[in-house]
Amino acid sequence: MFIKFFRSVGLTADVMYLLGFASIAASIATWARAKSTGDAAHAERFGIFVGLWAPTFMALGNAIASSKIDDKV
């Protein structure tokens, strides 16, 4: 259901993979910035939270890619 919706709005597996890698980069940037803020513990936890988005985007990318294969079969 969600995969069909994602495909209908034009999201491809490549876009999801790109979002996953962007999430990793944003997590690293947030963590690096945490050193200069007053509340470093909160910023580090937010960096970890953003980093946890990556597996979700990768899994959605895999689901979209496998749904395309299922459509061809």
Side-chain angles (χ1 to χ4, degrees), residues 3-15:
I3 302 304
K4 288 182 183 180
F5 171 74
F6 290 146
R7 288 182 61 194
S8 70
V9 296
L11 290 174
T12 64
D14 293 336
V15 171

Side-chain angles (χ1 to χ4, degrees), residues 43-67:
E44 286 178 359
R45 286 190 301 269
F46 186 68
I48 291 170
F49 173 71
V50 172
L52 290 174
W53 298 346
T56 303
F57 287 128
M58 298 293 183
L60 287 171
N62 286 339
I64 290 170
S66 70
S67 73

Side-chain angles (χ1 to χ4, degrees), residues 12-23:
T12 64
D14 293 336
V15 171
M16 290 298 183
Y17 296 143
L18 181 66
L19 288 172
F21 287 117
S23 171

